[in-house]
Amino acid sequence: MTASSVEQLRKDGNELFKCGDYEGALTAYTQALGLGATPQDQAILHRNRAACHLKLEDYNKAETEASKAIEKDGGDVKALYRRSQALEKLGRLDQAVLDLQRCVSLEPKNKVFQEALRNIGGQIQEKVRYMSSTDAKVEQMFQILLDPQEKGTEKKQKASQNLVVLAREDAGAEKIFRSNGVQLLQRLLDTGETDLMLAALRTLVGICSEHQSRTVATLSVLGTRRVVSILGVESQAVSLAACHLLQVMFDALKEGAKKGFRGKEGAIIVDPARELKVLISNLLDLLTEAGVSGQGRDNALTLLIKVVPRKSFKDPNNSLTLWVIDQGLKKILEVGGSLQEPPGELTVTGNSRMSASILLSKLFDDLKCDAERENFHRLCENYIRSWFEDHGLAGKLRAIQTVSCLLQGPCDAGNRALELSGVMESVIALCASEREEEQLVAVEALIHAAGKAKRASFITANGVSLLKDLYKRSEKDSIRIRALVGLCKLGSAGGTDFSMKQFAEGSTLKLAKQCRKWLCNEQIDAGTRRWAVEGLAYLTFDADVKEEFVEDEAALKALFQLSRSEERSVLFAVASALVNCTNSYDYEEPDPKMVELAKYAKQHVPEQHPKDKPSFVRARVKKLLAAGVVSAVTCMVKADSPVLTNSCRELLSRVFLALVEEAEDRGTVVAQGGGKALLPLALEGTDVGQTKAAQALAKLTITSNPEMTFPGERVYEVVRPLVSLLHLNCSGLQNFEALMALTNLAGISERLRQKILKEKAVPMIEGYMFEDHELIRRAATECMCNLAMSKEVQDLFEAEGNDRLKLLVLYSGEDDELLRRAAAGGLAMLTSMRPSLCNRIPQVTTHWLEILQSLLLSPNQELQHRGAVVVLNMVEASRETASTLMESEVLEILSVLAKGPAGPVTKAATACLGKAVEYGLIKPNQDGE
């Protein structure tokens, strides 16, 4: 019984493999192995599992499974061949060639093995040639770079470029590494010359990339402290290059920690988790070191944001986050609470405090339980209290600045800090200070606190009059603009609800006008003008403000220029203002019955502003497009900054979706780089943001030529976001647009069809072929029709025990003409490619003849042609099927069609009759017809 079960599961696995369901086949083979198979059966099952892993491109597992098969049966030639394929893909050519030589010795006449051995032999010879010629080149390049006589020459520049290019290939990187390259690169770093340091850092990136053993060796030679310290140099280019190198090192070490300390070449190294902590510890130390550049501090924060928190909450291990909180939270808070004055404070940029807020937010979000969060709160409160109580006025300012940092990041921690005794009172008191730097800190804290529910009523009661007084009486624009933002924030409390006005009629427009005036004033520094954008982000909830803003070309131009500046902290505010202007936030029309019920119960009912109706929104979108919004948003997407958070990405996705809503505007979006910018938004960010970006991609793919919209390899990146829209949690419109877009892609090339199959879209598309909604059902059928050009899909239709063919036949007889056209096209394609399906059509439904007759009699020429092709394929497939057709009314219909005007339908009908004559089923009349 066990033996028969093993055999059955193996056969099931083989069938699944033939149908392209490699994971299903893998499961069947695994189940069979668990039933106590004989050693011979185990060998077969292991080599079949190896074949599945090869198809799934998991070459490490393919090698492991093939090796298990060889252990059971050393003469298993299939297992040897599969292991050689896996080893070749893994770059281990010397081992692959040994397996192939064994294959050839076992089957000397097998041409496949002979050809594979020739190919791999050629690859080995090429590698040997390359390595031998590279030895001398590496030595020569280092001689030129380290020769003091060659300083600043073109020869030296070329040598540095060649070294970087060589390191990009793994073989070249290995050659540099084995040629004492790291020590020589250290000498280049020690020169202090920008060009040489850049060349050294970029070469080290190639050496360490995806190779943990070389990474650990490099850190050992250079010293972790030395590598991290390069981040803090004044040269922005060198600091960024060091940041990239450290990111590559982190990636290599993290991969090593996951894979049990095995490097790319299988080398055993020291514990990478320990090396990770050493690197992170040095980054945390760098945050508070004197003499470190502001850019270097920002880069250190960026690295910590990328490498410390978990990538997915499915990963249960947040130990690295807990360790960083215990070891470095105070250091991060020190950057977040830093002041521009007095001198001696840490050197920071306009983005440093925002980066610290984002890092704190990421760390807080990565905590799993109340005890961990309580520890975070306790550490923050102790730090703030220590400054607030023990260091006089300067300490109070630092404490308030730290609270502002928390309010912009983990706001729960910020709210708790506001509750500390004397903090809020000090904020209010310092707003009236005569010193500008003290007022700035206090007013900013008041602004950030105003958006938090716990303190909104307190600030409305105590802060509005104070902010108004500061706005009217202060002589400093920096104070007035911040006070204005505070008023804007409090004035927008009603959001888009037209009935909840916080200020008197016209006050909001006056505030917005002043914000636009400051925004356009280029004499004011970017850091201060950012606050004008913050104000507009709140005020543009009001439709009157939106209308005036999009009419102000100078203000829009200034907004877009500021979004491209180095003042990255403005990105979220710009995105928020654009979301408001395009009404791209989620809005659902309230149920009229519920509105009546709410009015009867005297409950508040939100009202939409008359100028937020679709016609006004469309007009605003046109004006934004004319002003160049696409290129501005595209530049924002490219910003490599922690400020471009997932929430900010979601806002940009919403804007793009609003911009491509009208088909006539999509050409403009594509021409200005919108298609390229949407891809990263669809692949990274919040679930909502990714879905919105994917929907925008679908709209572009439907109405334009995908190969022009997404040139080169980019078109293949579009598939995954589109497939994600097929999931059941997406709306019907999103499902429909994804199916339409995939239909377009499936009609372009076999490679794109293979990409769609690889993303496992076929089962979902089949599911939508049963959808009640006629548009979705039709789109799914059209998509399947195009996918039917692929062998794997044809195999699915040909497999026994499924109703796929039946569904297409039945849909060919539906009333919906477009659905009939899609289904008939699929039938014509499948019966042409797989003649065996022709004989199965009469078996799937008793109405098959009626359906074919209705296609042939259709007034629509396309339907007639598709029907005629299906009949021709069936006639050519077998004499028996042809006989059944000729005994029905189909013969009479074909006779009439064959006498029609020349065309594809007439040609197909004539061919059908000719084949029937050939079979001897009918005879030509006296005229030879």
Side-chain angles (χ1 to χ4, degrees):
M1 185 174 173
T2 303
S4 63
S5 300
V6 169
E7 182 63 22
Q8 185 56 49
L9 281 167
R10 187 166 69 83
K11 286 181 178 178
D12 291 346
N14 293 347
E15 286 300 317
L16 289 165
F17 188 90
K18 287 177 186 175
C19 295
D21 186 358
Y22 305 122
E23 288 184 352
L26 203 55
T27 303
Y29 297 141
T30 306
Q31 289 173 347
L33 278 168
L35 294 176
T38 63
Q40 187 178 357
D41 283 337
Q42 285 180 26
I44 295 168
L45 291 166
H46 280 302
R47 84 181 183 209
N48 287 357
R49 279 170 57 81
C52 294
H53 286 305
L54 283 171
K55 289 290 187 182
L56 294 167
E57 298 180 10
D58 192 339
Y59 303 117
N60 280 312
K61 287 184 181 176
E63 181 214 350
T64 303
E65 290 295 333
S67 296
K68 287 179 182 177
I70 294 163
E71 284 173 18
K72 302 289 181 187
D73 180 1
D76 190 335
V77 73
K78 287 186 178 179
L80 284 163
Y81 181 60
R82 283 168 191 167
R83 188 167 73 174
S84 75
Q85 289 178 298
L87 289 167
E88 182 183 355
K89 291 291 185 182
L90 291 167
R92 289 148 65 181
L93 301 179
D94 51 340
Q95 294 173 38
V97 79
L98 293 174
D99 281 347
L100 279 173
Q101 285 171 346
R102 177 84 175 128
C103 290
V104 171
S105 69
L106 290 169
E107 292 187 14
K109 294 182 179 179
N110 191 313
K111 291 183 179 178
V112 174
F113 297 159
Q114 291 170 3
E115 184 63 29
L117 188 60
R118 273 196 296 274
N119 287 340
I120 209 162
Q123 289 181 51
I124 290 172
Q125 287 177 1
E126 184 61 36
K127 190 173 180 179
V128 169
R129 265 199 307 273
Y130 175 76
M131 295 296 277
S132 58
S133 66
T134 304
D135 275 340
K137 287 180 183 175
V138 170
E139 189 178 343
Q140 187 182 16
M141 282 186 268
F142 275 116
Q143 281 178 353
I144 295 168
L145 290 170
L146 293 168
D147 185 352
Q149 303 299 320
E150 295 284 354
K151 190 171 183 179
T153 64
E154 188 179 333
K155 197 174 179 182
K156 201 165 192 173
Q157 189 179 7
K158 192 171 183 181
S160 66
Q161 288 172 351
N162 289 341
L163 196 64
V164 174
V165 170
L166 182 64
R168 285 177 188 157
E169 294 291 332
D170 189 63
E174 184 68 18
K175 180 52 63 179
I176 295 170
F177 180 74
R178 292 186 181 280
S179 303
N180 203 31
V182 177
Q183 287 86 342
L184 293 169
L185 290 167
Q186 185 177 23
R187 289 173 61 187
L188 292 181
L189 290 171
D190 291 340
T191 63
E193 294 180 32
T194 299
D195 289 345
L196 291 182
M197 290 181 78
L198 286 172
L201 290 167
R202 289 165 183 166
T203 306
L204 285 167
V205 166
I207 289 172
C208 297
S209 184
E210 297 182 13
H211 205 301
Q212 57 181 335
S213 54
R214 289 202 298 248
T215 298
V216 172
T218 301
L219 285 170
S220 177
V221 172
L222 298 178
T224 306
R225 183 73 195 141
R226 171 79 176 98
V227 177
V228 172
S229 67
I230 300 171
L231 274 179
V233 301
E234 288 296 331
S235 169
Q236 190 172 338
V238 172
S239 181
L240 281 170
C243 184
H244 185 209
L245 171 60
L246 284 164
Q247 178 70 62
V248 166
M249 287 177 160
F250 273 120
D251 290 343
L253 291 172
K254 274 198 161 185
E255 199 60 32
K258 285 181 195 171
K259 292 188 176 179
F261 317 158
R262 288 181 65 83
K264 191 172 182 180
E265 304 298 324
I268 303 298
I269 63 164
V270 294
D271 182 354
R274 188 185 69 80
E275 295 293 324
L276 268 173
K277 285 189 175 179
V278 172
L279 261 179
I280 291 170
S281 179
N282 278 281
L283 281 175
L284 291 169
D285 290 342
L286 187 81
L287 292 179
T288 54
E289 273 186 23
V292 173
S293 67
Q295 177 75 32
R297 229 178 290 281
D298 287 357
N299 286 336
L301 287 166
T302 301
L303 281 168
L304 289 167
I305 289 166
K306 287 180 178 177
V307 302
V308 175
R310 290 172 292 169
K311 296 290 183 191
S312 167
F313 291 134
K314 292 177 183 176
D315 177 4
N317 184 9
N318 69 340
S319 59
L320 196 56
T321 293
L322 296 176
W323 183 82
V324 167
I325 289 171
D326 287 337
Q327 301 294 317
L329 183 62
K330 289 181 180 178
K331 293 172 183 176
I332 300 165
L333 289 171
E334 195 168 334
V335 178
S338 60
L339 304 166
Q340 299 287 7
E341 297 290 339
E345 286 283 341
L346 299 178
T347 307
V348 292
T349 69
N351 300 317
S352 301
R353 284 190 290 272
M354 180 60 78
S355 295
S357 293
I358 291 165
L359 175 55
L360 289 166
S361 181
K362 295 265 187 186
L363 292 174
F364 188 78
D365 290 343
D366 204 35
L367 300 177
K368 295 193 293 185
C369 63
D370 288 343
E372 292 174 358
R373 284 185 276 274
E374 190 57 40
N375 179 56
F376 186 95
H377 289 312
R378 181 179 55 77
L379 290 170
C380 290
E381 288 166 20
N382 287 345
Y383 177 85
I384 291 165
R385 198 181 286 113
S386 69
W387 278 102
F388 193 78
E389 294 174 356
D390 302 333
H391 295 84
L393 181 59
K396 283 183 168 56
L397 286 172
R398 178 179 274 281
I400 292 169
Q401 186 77 295
T402 307
V403 172
S404 287
C405 176
L406 288 169
L407 286 167
Q408 291 178 85
C411 56
D412 285 349
N415 274 326
R416 284 202 26 179
L418 279 176
E419 302 290 333
L420 293 174
S421 176
V423 172
M424 199 67 217
E425 290 74 13
S426 294
V427 170
I428 298 292
L430 285 170
C431 282
S433 171
E434 293 182 2
R435 296 187 62 191
E436 182 183 358
E437 59 270 19
E438 292 172 8
Q439 276 190 315
L440 284 174
V441 172
V443 173
E444 285 184 22
L446 195 63
I447 292 166
H448 298 311
K452 314 305 168 190
K454 284 187 178 179
R455 284 287 168 174
S457 57
F458 175 88
I459 293 164
T460 304
N462 298 278
V464 172
S465 58
L466 182 60
L467 289 170
K468 283 182 178 177
D469 191 55
L470 284 171
Y471 174 58
K472 289 177 182 176
R473 298 187 183 181
S474 178
E475 295 177 3
K476 301 284 186 182
D477 276 349
S478 58
I479 300 296
R480 293 186 69 220
I481 198 168
R482 284 164 173 79
L484 176 61
V485 172
L487 290 170
C488 295
K489 198 168 187 177
L490 293 168
S492 65
T496 56
D497 187 352
F498 181 49
S499 62
M500 285 185 68
K501 292 289 181 183
Q502 300 293 312
F503 293 149
E505 192 69 36
S507 296
T508 308
L509 287 171
K510 287 178 184 176
L511 291 174
K513 187 175 181 181
Q514 185 59 53
C515 281
R516 297 202 310 273
K517 182 180 174 183
W518 271 321
L519 175 61
C520 295
N521 187 351
E522 294 184 5
Q523 303 302 315
I524 302 174
D525 65 279
T528 303
R529 288 165 67 204
R530 182 212 14 135
W531 287 97
V533 184
E534 291 271 358
L536 286 167
Y538 293 113
L539 293 172
T540 46
F541 280 120
D542 187 303
D544 289 317
V545 173
K546 299 177 200 180
E547 288 295 316
E548 283 197 3
F549 186 35
V550 297
E551 292 289 348
D552 190 338
E553 291 181 15
L556 289 176
K557 184 180 177 183
L559 180 78
F560 298 154
Q561 282 179 344
L562 196 59
S563 71
R564 295 185 180 97
S565 73
E566 292 191 6
E567 185 61 42
R568 296 300 186 196
S569 52
V570 77
L571 295 183
F572 192 86
V574 173
S576 299
L578 292 173
V579 165
N580 292 340
C581 288
T582 56
N583 280 37
S584 45
Y585 37 73
D586 293 326
Y587 175 77
E588 287 185 17
E589 285 286 346
D591 185 338
K593 291 181 181 178
M594 294 302 292
V595 171
E596 288 301 317
L597 190 60
K599 285 179 179 176
Y600 178 75
K602 296 184 179 178
Q603 295 293 313
H604 174 71
V605 179
E607 294 178 23
Q608 188 182 34
H609 196 292
K611 291 182 181 176
D612 271 334
K613 290 181 178 176
S615 58
F616 284 92
V617 175
R618 281 196 293 272
R620 289 201 293 267
V621 168
K622 298 281 186 194
K623 288 167 185 171
L624 286 169
L625 284 166
V629 68
V630 178
S631 56
V633 176
T634 301
C635 286
M636 289 167 71
V637 173
K638 292 176 184 175
D640 184 18
S641 167
V643 179
L644 191 66
T645 59
N646 287 342
S647 300
C648 189
R649 287 172 173 276
E650 181 184 318
L651 294 178
L652 296 176
S653 297
R654 289 177 180 277
V655 173
F656 266 124
L657 184 56
L659 296 177
V660 300
E661 188 62 39
E662 298 293 319
E664 63 204 56
D665 297 330
R666 293 171 195 170
T668 305
V669 173
V670 171
Q672 294 180 19
K676 182 181 177 182
L678 274 167
L679 283 169
L681 292 176
L683 296 169
E684 185 182 348
T686 64
D687 290 341
V688 173
Q690 287 180 317
T691 301
K692 300 283 184 190
Q695 191 177 359
L697 283 172
K699 289 178 184 289
L700 292 178
T701 310
I702 291 167
T703 54
S704 59
N705 181 348
E707 289 179 296
M708 293 181 69
T709 306
F710 311 103
E713 294 295 306
R714 210 168 286 144
V715 72
Y716 302 101
E717 295 176 38
V718 180
V719 174
R720 181 170 295 172
L722 294 180
V723 172
S724 72
L725 291 178
L726 297 179
H727 292 294
L728 294 175
N729 57 345
C730 294
S731 68
L733 176 62
Q734 289 165 343
N735 299 152
F736 172 70
E737 289 179 332
L739 289 165
M740 293 283 285
L742 288 169
T743 302
N744 262 7
L745 292 176
I748 292 173
S749 70
E750 179 58 26
R751 190 179 164 194
L752 269 168
R753 287 191 287 276
Q754 288 298 322
K755 178 68 175 171
I756 294 169
L757 292 171
K758 192 174 179 181
E759 293 296 335
K760 300 178 183 174
V762 170
M764 290 186 278
I765 295 167
E766 285 184 325
Y768 286 116
M769 289 175 72
F770 293 93
E771 178 67 39
D772 290 337
H773 197 292
E774 62 178 25
L775 291 177
I776 295 177
R777 186 170 66 242
R778 182 197 306 157
T781 308
E782 287 173 349
C783 191
M784 188 57 72
C785 174
N786 280 357
L787 287 172
M789 289 185 270
S790 288
K791 175 184 176 297
E792 289 81 357
V793 176
Q794 293 162 17
D795 288 342
L796 291 175
F797 275 89
E798 201 170 27
E800 294 294 331
N802 72 79
D803 290 332
R804 294 183 177 94
L805 185 64
K806 180 178 180 179
L807 188 64
L808 281 188
V809 174
L810 291 174
Y811 277 177
S812 298
E814 284 285 305
D815 293 334
D816 181 350
E817 191 171 286
L818 292 173
L819 177 62
R820 289 178 74 196
R821 189 173 67 179
L827 267 183
M829 172 79 65
L830 288 163
T831 51
S832 296
M833 306 298 288
R834 298 294 172 98
S836 62
L837 292 174
C838 297
N839 299 325
R840 284 170 54 185
I841 288 177
Q843 300 166 20
V844 296
T845 173
T846 55
H847 302 291
W848 68 280
L849 267 174
E850 297 168 36
I851 291 168
L852 288 178
Q853 288 168 16
S854 68
L855 286 174
L856 293 171
L857 293 170
S858 171
N860 184 310
Q861 282 251 315
E862 270 192 82
L863 280 175
Q864 264 194 340
H865 179 225
R866 293 175 188 206
V869 170
V870 174
V871 172
L872 175 58
N873 292 336
M874 292 178 72
V875 168
E876 289 180 338
S878 76
R879 188 179 187 283
E880 185 184 345
T881 307
S883 174
T884 307
L885 285 165
M886 293 304 129
E887 288 170 4
S888 70
E889 294 178 16
V890 170
L891 174 59
E892 189 179 339
I893 298 168
L894 289 173
S895 301
V896 173
L897 292 176
K899 294 175 182 176
V905 176
T906 307
K907 186 177 178 182
T910 305
C912 286
L913 295 172
K915 194 68 181 176
V917 170
E918 189 180 315
Y919 286 144
L921 299 173
I922 60 173
K923 293 181 180 178
N925 58 25
Q926 292 178 351
D927 300 327
E929 294 179 347

